[in-house]
Amino acid sequence: MRSVLNLALECVTGAVETAADGTGVAFHRVPAAARAQLADPTLDFMSTVPSGVRIEALTDAAVLELDVDLTHLVVQGMSSPGTAVDVVVDGALREAVRTTRETVLVIDLRTRATRTHPAGPETLRLDLGEPGVERRVEVWLPVSSALRLLDVRVPAGASLRPAPAAGPLWVHHGSSVSQCSEADRPTGAWPAIVARAAGLSLTNLGLGGHCHLDQFMARTIRDLPAAAISLELGINVVNLDSMRERAFLSAFHGFLDTLREGHPDTPVLVITPLICPAVEDRPGPTPFGPDHLFHAAERPEHLATGSLTLRRIRHLLEQGVALRRRAGDTALHLLHGTTLFGPADTLDLPDGLHPNPAGYRRMAERFLPLAFGENGSLRQASSRTGSP
């Protein structure tokens, strides 16, 4: 086997930045300058969880080996289910490659204290088929674990080069329900299901806990060559109680103003929050309880002025999109999140906030025709349509 790490890095897509140091290569979904300004270790961690990031290569190798260093973040009292990597060969999805060899980072959500259970690197062996036959290979990296790539190897004499893009670029930004750490495999994340079915190249900027209408994410999307853009907004604002109504409205319009600087005519779909029973009519924050459910925190009545519930956020987003459309932005569209995952779906909401794998698949089935179907709001970006 010979190392082709540098060639493999040329085949990586779906990341905003690639950062190499003496400990390996990380694929970031948030720019370094933004991470430095915010100085939040949870943002750093989520940035290196490569949801939607993949190696897309043309290779005649029979086997591909990846040396990886994995870190899985779990809440105290819970355990890691392990890490999965997906392989797609000439469009056909193979069985996921799974490992439990990962560093586990345990966090106490009450105190924010962490403890680490370290593990060494793991080698993932991906069987691709008969040697000497060039094929398109996609290696979808984890949605639940931070990853550092240490090496990539192919048999001596085998070739590896970048594959053409799967289709036009769809950029999606959102919260943990877009990062989809609860999916049972990387291609089980709902944006990945949709992208594969619609023939699109995906950049998934869903960031667990970090969708707050940040200007650095607006600038990131502005500067990407997106053919279609979708924004799942609102839940993290309630989760952290990070804004009141006055700031939220200004941040929403400022985010879209920045985005439109680079994409004046690109179709943009704003997705309002999915169902979250605890905060439909109560403001956040939403601590994670000993029952492994998210709850609305108790708060003094005098702090209620201007606070945001999910129902209020949906109303504000609906008003904001309508206002901008009346002003001439007819490429801006709205999708109610409860259409994707609503009150009838809560049996697939085990912690009260995040859908389970079946819930994510259902979201994809519903989103695909609404966004990329014949009359979908993002239809012009799709090269083909299908079903998950």
Side-chain angles (χ1 to χ4, degrees), residues 233-254:
L233 304 176
I235 183 62
N236 284 161
V237 171
V238 174
N239 290 148
L240 294 187
D241 193 25
S242 61
M243 294 184 197
R244 296 300 176 95
E245 186 167 315
R246 167 63 175 81
F248 180 82
L249 283 169
S250 175
F252 170 70
H253 287 294

Side-chain angles (χ1 to χ4, degrees), residues 303-371:
L303 294 180
T305 302
S307 59
L308 292 167
T309 66
L310 289 192
R311 200 176 305 277
R312 183 59 178 163
I313 282 179
R314 292 188 192 105
H315 179 68
L316 294 174
L317 291 175
E318 185 175 13
Q319 282 189 324
V321 169
L323 174 68
R324 297 181 75 97
R325 285 182 60 85
R326 287 195 301 270
D329 190 352
T330 56
L332 180 66
H333 308 276
L334 184 85
L335 175 61
H336 288 287
T338 51
T339 303
L340 300 180
F341 199 92
D345 300 303
T346 54
L347 288 178
D348 287 320
L349 201 68
D351 64 4
L353 175 61
H354 302 99
N356 61 16
Y360 285 135
R361 289 191 292 272
R362 193 177 311 122
M363 287 178 64
E365 290 167 358
R366 293 168 177 172
F367 184 84
L368 182 60
L370 294 172

Side-chain angles (χ1 to χ4, degrees), residues 47-129:
S47 178
T48 57
V49 175
S51 183
V53 179
R54 59 221 177 267
I55 298 170
E56 294 187 346
L58 298 175
T59 181
D60 60 3
V63 175
L64 194 64
E65 288 184 350
L66 275 63
D67 290 346
V68 296
D69 200 342
L70 301 165
T71 302
H72 201 113
L73 180 68
V74 300
V75 175
Q76 184 171 293
M78 304 184 74
S79 59
S80 168
T83 297
V85 169
D86 266 327
V87 184
V88 179
V89 179
D90 285 336
L93 179 62
R94 301 284 185 86
E95 286 294 319
V97 177
R98 302 181 186 276
T99 182
T100 57
R101 188 173 179 82
E102 56 189 11
T103 294
V104 177
L105 186 62
V106 182
I107 183 169
D108 184 332
L109 291 180
R110 293 182 303 105
T111 65
R112 312 303 292 180
T114 60
R115 66 178 187 276
T116 303
H117 302 280
E122 172 71 301
T123 297
L124 304 176
R125 180 183 171 90
L126 314 178
D127 293 315
L128 306 180

